[in-house]
Structure formats: C-alpha cells, structure tokens
Amino acid sequence: MEPEAERACRGCGIELGRGMLVCPSCHRLVHAERLTELAAEAQAAETRADWSTALGFWRDAVDLLPNGTRQRDTIVARIADLGRKADASPTPSPVPAQADPSTSANGWSAGAAAGGLGALAMVALKFKFVLLALVTKGKLLIGGLLKGGSTFWTMLAATGVYWTAFGLPFAIGLVLSIYVHEMGHVAALRRYGVRASAPMFIPGLGAVVRLGQALHDPRQDARVGLAGPIWGLAASVACAGIFYATGQPLYAALARVGAFVNLFNLIPFWQLDGGRAFRSLNRPQRWLAVAALATSWSVTHDGIVLLLIFVAVAATIFDKPAEQSDAGVLGWYAFLVAALSALAFAPYLRVGAVL
C-alpha cells in the first residue's frame, strides 16, 4: 500500500511537496519511520525463510528511497539475493528432525532400515510437494478468475472476438491458453514479491499484466518473462495430451496455436518475453540462443523461427549485454524454443488441427 503523504518534515517542520522522499532543508528521509517498520517486517520474514513476503517488504522500502542513495542500492542488492533464494526454495522446506546420536548394537541393520524408511519418506515428501504445487497453481488460476473483475469481463470480450473468427469452442480454449500464460507471469511476480494487476485481455491482441512496482534485477525480470511461455507450454502439452486421448482435432489445434503464440513471445524485442530474457544474457550466451533458434529452423523451416533468428542476431550485435549473465535463463530459453517448436510444427498434431 502507498504510504500517506507527509505534509511536514518531522525533523525541521518544513512543508513538503507531494512525492518528496528527502527533506530539502534538513535532508532527512521523509518516510524514515515507515522504512524502519518495513525493514523489521522484512527481516522477520527472512527469519521464517518466507522469501516472497520479505521481497515484498523490501520492494516497498525501495519505493520510499531516492535514486542514487546508498540505502537504496543496498536494498536493491538484497532483493537480487533474496530472489535467488526464492528460486532455490519455491516451497517452504520442513525442518528436519535431529538425528539421534546414539546407535543400536546392530548398527548396520538399523542404519539400513532407517535408510529405507528415509528414502520412502523422501519419495512421499517429494510427491506431496508435487501435489501441493499443482493445487497451489490451480488455486491461483481459479482465484485469478474469481477475484479479477477486469480479467473475467475482458476474457468474455476476447472470447467474443475470437468466436466470430474461429467458433466458440476454439475461442474459449484459446482465451484460456492465453490466461494460463499470463498467470505464469503473475505467479513469478508473486514469488518475487512484486505487486501486479490481474491479467487484462485486449481482444484480438492478447493480454497484459500491469506491474505496480519495478523489477530492479534483470535476472528476476527475465525469469518473470519466461514464466509465461513455461506455463503456456504446459497448457499446450495438456491440449496435445487430450488430443491423443480423445482424437478430437480441436485440442490439436489448441496445442499448435498455443505453442505458436508462446514461441512468438520469445522474440528478443522490446517488452516481449524474449526481450526480457535476452537482457539477462551476455553476448556469448546470446549467440548460443541464436544457435538454438537456428537448430529449430533447420528442422521446422518456418518463417516465424527465421524472424526470431534475425531479431536475436540484431539484439546480440547491437544491444548492450548483461553485466551479470544468467545461465539458467539461457537454458530455459533454449528448452522453450525446442519444445514450443516441436509442438507448433509437429506433423502428428497438424493432421488433427482442423478448426
């Protein structure tokens, strides 16, 4: 939430203009008390290993600090560090029980039994986390529809536009596919503690998510960008699976078109998802991304992949490379290019893709 505007400096009493962050007279931080509260709340969240909540508090603090100050730069660096922790621990890890230092007389057999039980426990724990992730993502998708009023009504409008061109079943499937893509961005933004709007559809053009705060770390920006195509890929794979199970050509069409739309978003240009990804890569990594695209084109011979190659080469040569590169983003980008190309141009889906 935005803090209430200060009317007078608490240090010298001078009247403050709207939006001021530093007193022009005594140079006191206007929101010093609120910054102290946010720091305490963020540190408490870090103690609980609740990285997303901590990131949210630190982002609120950054918004109350002027550019170029040491405090702001320190918090921005902390946000980058916490983002890595959030990526490494997407779900809270249980606190392991302390091992009993004592051993039984038959130490080998006791250790083997404990190891077997421990392995079963780990498998069960992993399975529980997979189920928890599926339930959490399902709740996020449904909650986005129920809570985002603009989302629901703009989805209806977009469905109407696509209905006139492709028919109602395909229109509904396409809009839901786009929705899943956008909620991938929303999920990543939540992981990094960034306030953002629910998806808003622009009929005929897609959908957008409006950010309430800036992403100061290019690495986090790139991963938020790629989260959309990753979730979109999952939606296309699900449609392909339904096609194979039912033989209904509608789902083959949805799988291919959905993959094509997500592949198009990987163009490394402006605010497209691929553009965000490329800004976190150094020049050699960008050439590797170009190589991944070239490999895809050698198989598909499709014009959209050729367009991606041309734009990627231009971005590699002319755009400023990242100061700190991200190998993880390169791996995801290459994987998405391969997987989405396979779905978008797969001949075994093309047979059934009749609208």
Side-chain angles (χ1 to χ4, degrees):
M1 295 178 60
E2 292 292 335
E4 293 185 4
E6 298 283 348
R7 297 183 180 275
C9 176
R10 298 188 182 184
C12 64
I14 189 175
E15 184 177 353
L16 298 172
R18 183 176 180 83
M20 282 188 173
L21 300 177
V22 178
C23 174
S25 176
C26 66
H27 305 293
R28 181 182 184 275
L29 290 173
V30 172
H31 301 288
E33 289 77 11
R34 179 57 181 157
L35 285 165
T36 301
E37 294 173 0
L38 288 170
E41 291 170 327
Q43 289 165 358
E46 288 183 36
T47 302
R48 303 190 303 269
D50 188 352
W51 313 121
S52 297
T53 300
L55 280 163
F57 286 131
W58 286 125
R59 290 188 191 281
D60 287 343
V62 165
D63 292 340
L64 303 181
L65 289 166
N67 292 326
T69 58
R70 179 177 55 83
Q71 298 99 317
R72 190 178 192 278
D73 293 342
T74 299
I75 294 177
V76 167
R78 192 158 191 165
I79 287 173
D81 180 61
L82 288 176
R84 293 182 177 87
K85 292 182 178 180
D87 287 332
S89 180
T91 54
S93 299
V95 179
Q98 295 296 322
D100 188 348
S102 61
T103 57
S104 65
N106 190 354
W108 185 88
S109 61
L117 291 174
L120 290 175
M122 287 299 295
V123 170
L125 192 61
K126 293 290 186 183
F127 184 65
K128 184 186 79 170
F129 281 164
V130 170
L131 288 178
L132 180 62
L134 291 175
V135 171
T136 302
K137 288 174 172 55
K139 288 172 62 178
L140 179 63
L141 289 170
I142 296 172
L145 283 175
L146 297 179
K147 295 180 181 179
S150 62
T151 299
F152 180 76
W153 295 113
T154 55
M155 281 181 75
L156 284 181
T159 301
V161 171
Y162 298 130
W163 183 1
T164 60
F166 308 114
L168 183 58
F170 183 83
I172 293 174
L174 178 59
V175 167
L176 288 176
S177 176
I178 296 172
Y179 174 69
V180 170
H181 172 108
E182 294 300 327
M183 290 305 291
H185 295 313
V186 171
L189 289 167
R190 287 190 177 186
R191 183 169 70 248
Y192 294 130
V194 181
R195 290 195 303 270
S197 71
M200 184 176 70
F201 281 74
I202 304 173
L205 295 177
V208 296
V209 173
R210 297 187 301 275
L211 273 63
Q213 296 170 300
L215 279 160
H216 305 283
D217 181 17
R219 176 185 174 278
Q220 294 177 20
D221 190 28
R223 288 167 185 261
V224 168
L226 290 184
I230 290 170
W231 280 47
L233 171 63
S236 291
V237 169
C239 288
I242 296 173
F243 166 66
Y244 288 128
T246 65
Q248 293 294 322
L250 169 66
Y251 296 103
L254 288 171
R256 294 190 65 237
V257 172
F260 183 88
V261 169
N262 283 280
L263 183 62
F264 179 84
N265 269 279
L266 292 180
I267 295 178
F269 175 72
W270 192 48
Q271 296 300 315
L272 292 177
D273 301 333
R276 295 179 181 275
F278 257 56
R279 284 193 285 273
S280 72
L281 303 179
N282 59 27
R283 211 174 300 280
Q285 288 174 328
R286 291 181 181 185
W287 283 120
L288 289 174
V290 171
L293 289 167
T295 302
S296 173
W297 182 81
S298 70
V299 176
T300 64
H301 298 289
D302 191 84
I304 185 63
V305 181
L306 194 60
L307 174 62
L308 264 76
I309 293 173
F310 286 148
V311 178
V313 168
T316 300
I317 296 174
F318 299 110
D319 289 354
K320 181 181 178 181
E323 295 179 1
Q324 294 183 344
S325 58
D326 190 345
V329 167
L330 173 63
W332 272 114
Y333 188 88
F335 168 75
L336 286 168
V337 167
L340 291 170
S341 296
L343 279 170
F345 307 110
Y348 44 85
L349 287 177
R350 191 176 302 142
V351 171
V354 179
L355 299 181

